[in-house]
Amino acid sequence: MLSFKKQLFNEAATAAKNTHMTHIEDLVLDGGVKGARQAILALRALRDMLSGNAKAPVDVTVKWDGAPAIFAGLDPEDGKFFVAKKGIFAKARKVYKNHEDIDADTSGDLNKKLKLAFDNLKDLGITGVIQGDFMFDSNDLKKEKINGIQHVTFHPNTIVYAVPTGSALEKQISKSKIGIVWHTKYEGATFETMKAQFAADITSKLKSSSKVWQVDATLPDISGTATMTAKETAAVTKHLSNAGKIFKQIASSTLKEIESDKELNLLINTYNNTKVRKNERITNTTAHVKGMIDWVNDRYNKQADKLSSPKGKAGVEAKRERILKFFNKSNQKKLKLVFDLQNFIVDSKLIIINKLNSLNNIGTFVKTKSGFKVTNPEGFVAIDRMEGGAVKLVDRLEFSANNFSKDIIKGWDSPSR
């Protein structure tokens, strides 16, 4: 089996843009045989790193729950400074080189933040193109008492970030007009040919400014800092061993069909996500497969009921029959193994996430109507230093449950924002 560096990121490293990263367990569904192998190798490399036996260099970045995504840099065509939002690499890209450009395309809070980003980032000496998450502007900073201690907080999305008042970090943040966490830089002669470099050392190359609180998303070298115990290492090893055994039992044709059949892939992912939204872990995988078949039937029945023409209903019925052919008895057994494989990947991932969470140096909470509740960071991204690709590790039952919960106040609807 190839190493993490050679196998996991050979293809990811050639991806030109940081537009979307798959949850590591979903590589089994979305990446076929290669994806399943990549997931196992990634977790094995992280286990080795956290147990002090790293065979290949791996960086880890924290996923910050910011908004909006911000791109900034110099247009390779004319050398002018710009800011941009997601869509910068689309054919009909929009880059904003002055306030008039921003006004012509945006409004509201996004308009305000893009203008603040333009005004405060243009003098930092940015070369090339860099990408980050907008965490706050000065109006977003609030004074909150949490567990009896005064904090300065910012709340861009689901997670509330809190820094004790009077600390050096709080003083730096409070003086800033904006806060940005940088995580990716791009190099290339044109937007079309730019390549992404994850976990880049970005802030050290920029001019410092009291107006901008900026940090890299990359964690410091964690060798010896977040070392897993022998018991934790053994647990991850056992889960990965079980994952490897199951992986060998799954026919490559099954994984290929799930990966390549876009409608089937969407249905499986969507049904899995219904469990995430309910904060339910998939435990009985046999029952999960049967529940999925019932759900697929019901989904197509509802689609057909909304249509009045016989032709339309027949079209939906044809789709249903085609999809249900996949769920024959043989494939039901194979699909159960696919979910078993995902479960062992999740088991390994959660142990690693729990260890990485111990490195968090800024308070993270969710806000409820009855007060603040401690939560973990959104998650982490593992990056190969040599190859540059990335995979995402998120405790979905915690973060997604927080994200979908009606009891948790989000940054965009906080009454105090």
Side-chain angles (χ1 to χ4, degrees):
M1 187 174 284
L2 296 177
S3 70
F4 172 61
K5 179 176 73 174
K6 291 181 179 178
Q7 172 63 36
L8 175 61
F9 293 133
N10 273 352
E11 295 166 4
T14 63
K17 316 297 182 286
N18 177 11
T19 55
H20 174 73
M21 281 182 286
T22 302
H23 289 281
I24 193 167
E25 63 270 26
D26 286 348
L27 286 172
V28 177
L29 301 175
D30 301 340
V33 172
K34 289 182 180 179
R37 185 178 292 117
Q38 288 167 358
I40 295 170
L41 289 172
L43 292 167
R44 185 181 297 171
L46 288 166
R47 175 206 60 190
D48 291 345
M49 177 186 65
L50 291 171
S51 62
N53 297 307
K55 298 176 182 177
V58 182
D59 282 324
V60 178
T61 67
V62 181
K63 282 183 62 60
W64 291 72
D65 188 31
I70 289 288
F71 294 79
L74 303 181
D75 187 326
E77 294 181 3
D78 60 17
K80 292 184 179 180
F81 177 79
F82 73 87
V83 294
K85 56 184 180 179
K86 283 186 176 180
I88 180 177
F89 297 114
K91 289 184 179 180
R93 77 178 59 86
K94 294 181 180 179
V95 296
Y96 311 119
K97 299 177 182 178
N98 49 55
H99 282 206
E100 289 73 22
D101 288 346
I102 297 171
D103 284 335
D105 190 51
T106 66
S107 60
D109 192 58
L110 176 61
N111 178 279
K112 180 187 75 169
K113 284 180 165 49
L114 285 170
K115 287 179 179 177
L116 285 168
F118 182 87
D119 292 342
N120 292 287
L121 299 178
K122 60 185 175 64
D123 296 323
L124 297 184
I126 298 172
T127 58
V129 176
I130 56 179
Q131 177 185 354
D133 292 314
F134 195 108
M135 301 307 297
F136 64 83
D137 64 53
S138 56
N139 290 328
D140 296 327
L141 299 177
K142 307 296 179 185
K143 293 182 179 179
E144 306 266 14
K145 188 168 284 189
I146 303 175
N147 297 330
I149 300 174
Q150 194 71 31
H151 289 75
V152 166
T153 68
F154 46 99
H155 190 185
N157 264 323
T158 300
I159 294 176
V160 178
Y161 296 89
V163 182
T165 301
S167 65
L169 180 57
E170 180 272 321
K171 292 177 182 178
Q172 184 182 13
I173 287 173
S174 294
K175 287 193 302 182
S176 304
K177 291 185 179 294
I178 62 171
I180 304 280
V181 176
W182 301 113
H183 54 73
T184 310
K185 72 176 181 180
Y186 299 87
E187 295 181 350
T190 66
F191 283 114
E192 289 79 8
T193 60
M194 282 185 176
K195 304 289 185 182
Q197 180 182 342
F198 303 100
D201 178 10
I202 295 175
T203 55
S204 68
K205 306 293 194 303
L206 304 179
K207 296 177 182 178
S208 60
S209 169
S210 60
K211 298 178 182 179
V212 182
W213 176 75
Q214 54 182 340
V215 295
D216 290 331
T218 310
L219 286 173
D221 187 353
I222 61 178
S223 302
T225 303
T227 305
M228 291 197 301
T229 65
K231 184 177 180 181
E232 290 166 334
T233 302
V236 174
T237 299
K238 182 178 180 180
H239 293 318
L240 292 178
S241 176
N242 288 331
K245 291 175 183 177
I246 290 175
F247 179 41
K248 292 177 181 178
Q249 298 176 44
I250 303 172
S252 60
S253 58
T254 300
L255 292 174
K256 183 178 180 180
E257 187 170 1
I258 294 172
E259 175 193 13
S260 60
D261 189 323
K262 299 307 179 184
E263 185 168 4
L264 175 64
N265 181 280
L266 176 63
L267 288 168
I268 294 174
N269 273 299
T270 301
Y271 183 69
N272 284 354
N273 283 330
T274 64
K275 302 300 181 182
V276 174
R277 288 179 178 235
K278 294 177 181 178
N279 200 26
E280 294 177 2
R281 178 78 188 267
I282 300 169
T283 53
N284 186 331
T285 52
T286 299
H288 186 67
V289 173
K290 291 180 179 178
M292 178 176 292
I293 295 171
D294 292 339
W295 177 84
V296 167
N297 262 313
D298 186 58
R299 184 181 176 95
Y300 282 115
N301 285 336
K302 288 179 179 177
Q303 288 182 12
D305 289 343
K306 293 178 181 178
L307 301 175
S308 56
S309 72
K311 183 178 180 180
K313 290 180 181 291
V316 172
E317 178 63 22
K319 286 184 179 180
R320 182 176 70 167
E321 290 302 315
R322 186 186 72 80
I323 291 295
L324 289 179
K325 284 182 180 179
F326 172 81
F327 293 100
N328 57 50
K329 288 186 178 181
S330 176
N331 269 350
Q332 285 182 40
K333 294 178 181 178
K334 295 172 185 175
L335 194 55
K336 173 197 170 348
L337 291 176
V338 169
F339 296 136
D340 287 337
L341 173 56
Q342 284 191 299
N343 273 344
F344 282 120
I345 289 172
V346 170
D347 289 336
S348 305
K349 175 188 76 170
L350 292 176
I351 295 173
I352 290 169
I353 287 175
N354 185 58
K355 185 56 60 173
L356 293 173
N357 282 337
S358 66
L359 294 176
N360 188 26
N361 63 357
I362 186 168
T364 49
F365 302 83
V366 288
K367 191 171 187 178
T368 71
K369 295 177 182 178
S370 58
F372 290 93
K373 184 176 72 173
V374 174
T375 192
N376 287 312
E378 179 184 345
F380 301 90
V381 177
I383 303 101
D384 182 85
R385 293 180 194 170
M386 302 302 294
E387 302 295 342
V391 291
K392 180 167 65 175
L393 294 88
V394 175
D395 183 344
R396 295 166 85 173
L397 290 192
E398 178 182 53
F399 181 74
S400 296
N402 287 340
N403 202 29
F404 293 121
S405 173
K406 296 180 180 179
D407 297 326
I408 291 174
I409 299 169
K410 312 304 189 295
W412 59 85
D413 59 16
S414 173
S416 62
R417 185 168 178 175

